[in-house]
């Protein structure tokens, strides 16, 4: 299983690494991690980046019990956290975004989003949105995301192979080259990261559930 840039505890890493991710314990920051949020500190209004980047600001989300320690709870209408783009974010040729999620009634919502760069959207299955060659590209998963239990969700992209992959609970769901790409270069924009919705119509993207361990 290849990881490049991550987000679920909320974590982001780069470049692609080849190590297996141990899902039995909290994620850890390494030299490839751009940001990692364990979400144990939601009650204080700010969430700390375990990779040393900017803290996130919580907006109407509530603390809850998580997959490991605490978590952030959203109610389908409000509840997310915003994080500024790190000032020293390197140019990347790969991306991994990952997290744990637990949905209450249906698997739906925008989990992690940096506009025009990457987003994990859940609509029954995982929908990976990647900003490549100046446009959003989509790859849709095939495995139904469970309701009522913690599930690890991840998406990856590698510029060399131009392949996007979706993983559910550490198992490969879909591997596909997104349609329409040419050079396969990832978009880079100085925009905020939002955990718990999208950044353009947030009220319609909030999941009904809990998020933990975004990397």
């Amino acid at each position: 299983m290849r990881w490049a840039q991550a987000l679920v505890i909320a974590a982001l890493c780069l470049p692609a690494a080849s190590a297996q991710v141990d899902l039995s314990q909290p994620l850890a920051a390494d030299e490839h991690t751009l940001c990692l949020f364990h979400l144990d500190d939601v009650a204080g209004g700010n969430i700390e980046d375990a990779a040393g980047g900017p803290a996130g600001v919580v907006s109407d989300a509530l603390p809850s019990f998580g997959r490991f320690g605490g978590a952030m709870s959203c109610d389908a209408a409000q509840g997310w956290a915003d994080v500024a783009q790190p000032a020293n974010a390197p140019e990347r040729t790969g991306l991994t975004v990952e997290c744990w999620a637990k949905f209450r009634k249906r698997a739906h919502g925008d989990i992690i989003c940096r506009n025009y760069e990457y987003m994990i959207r859940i609509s029954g299955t995982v929908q990976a949105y990647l900003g490549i060659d100046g446009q959003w590209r989509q790859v849709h998963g095939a495995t139904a995301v469970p309701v009522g239990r913690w599930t690890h969700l991840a998406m990856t992209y590698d510029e060399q192979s131009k392949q996007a992959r979706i993983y559910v609970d550490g198992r490969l769901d879909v591997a596909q080259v997104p349609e329409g790409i040419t050079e396969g270069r990832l978009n880079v924009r100085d925009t905020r990261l939002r955990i718990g919705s999208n950044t353009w119509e947030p009220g319609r993207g909030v999941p009904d559930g809990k998020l933990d361990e975004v990397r």
Side-chain angles (χ1 to χ4, degrees):
M1 188 170 172
R2 291 178 61 83
W3 306 96
Q5 198 170 34
L7 166 67
V8 160
I9 267 187
L12 263 70
C13 334
L14 95 56
S18 58
Q20 291 284 338
V21 173
D22 184 357
L23 301 184
S24 68
Q25 58 186 358
L27 298 179
D30 61 18
E31 70 273 19
H32 301 301
T33 303
L34 292 185
C35 64
L36 170 63
F37 296 92
H38 296 294
L39 301 178
D40 297 331
D41 44 6
V42 172
N46 293 290
I47 52 174
E48 180 182 353
D49 180 3
V57 178
V58 177
S59 177
D60 296 319
L62 297 175
S64 184
F65 293 107
R67 176 65 178 84
F68 302 101
M72 186 175 78
S73 179
C74 314
D75 68 0
Q78 60 184 10
W80 56 77
D82 286 336
V83 184
Q85 171 85 297
N88 60 345
E91 183 177 353
R92 55 183 180 265
T93 58
L95 171 73
T96 298
V97 180
E98 63 183 301
C99 70
W100 287 91
K102 183 178 182 179
F103 298 94
R104 294 187 178 92
K105 295 181 180 179
R106 64 177 184 138
H108 179 83
D110 296 336
I111 305 303
I112 300 164
C113 176
R114 193 182 291 281
N115 191 16
Y116 219 44
E117 291 192 27
Y118 50 81
M119 179 171 68
I120 294 181
R121 170 170 284 176
I122 309 300
S123 184
T125 64
V126 177
Q127 300 180 14
Y129 281 65
L130 291 158
I132 303 173
D133 294 338
Q135 295 185 31
W136 273 127
R137 315 290 177 173
Q138 298 180 37
V139 173
H140 292 190
T143 300
V145 176
V147 172
R149 71 168 177 84
W150 284 104
T151 304
H152 185 266
L153 307 172
M155 70 180 204
T156 72
Y157 176 74
D158 176 66
E159 186 177 295
Q160 183 174 4
S161 67
K162 297 182 173 61
Q163 189 174 80
R165 295 187 175 196
I166 293 171
Y167 295 86
V168 178
D169 281 335
R171 296 180 175 86
L172 179 64
D173 181 22
V174 169
Q176 179 182 321
V177 176
E179 292 185 4
I181 66 175
T182 54
E183 294 183 354
R185 293 184 180 276
L186 288 163
N187 300 345
V188 178
R189 291 196 169 187
D190 185 15
T191 58
R192 67 186 180 278
L193 168 69
R194 177 161 287 172
I195 303 169
S197 189
N198 61 61
T199 57
W200 56 88
E201 197 175 13
R204 296 177 62 87
V206 180
D208 183 13
K210 300 190 290 184
L211 304 176
D212 196 4
E213 299 296 299
V214 176
R215 185 169 67 177

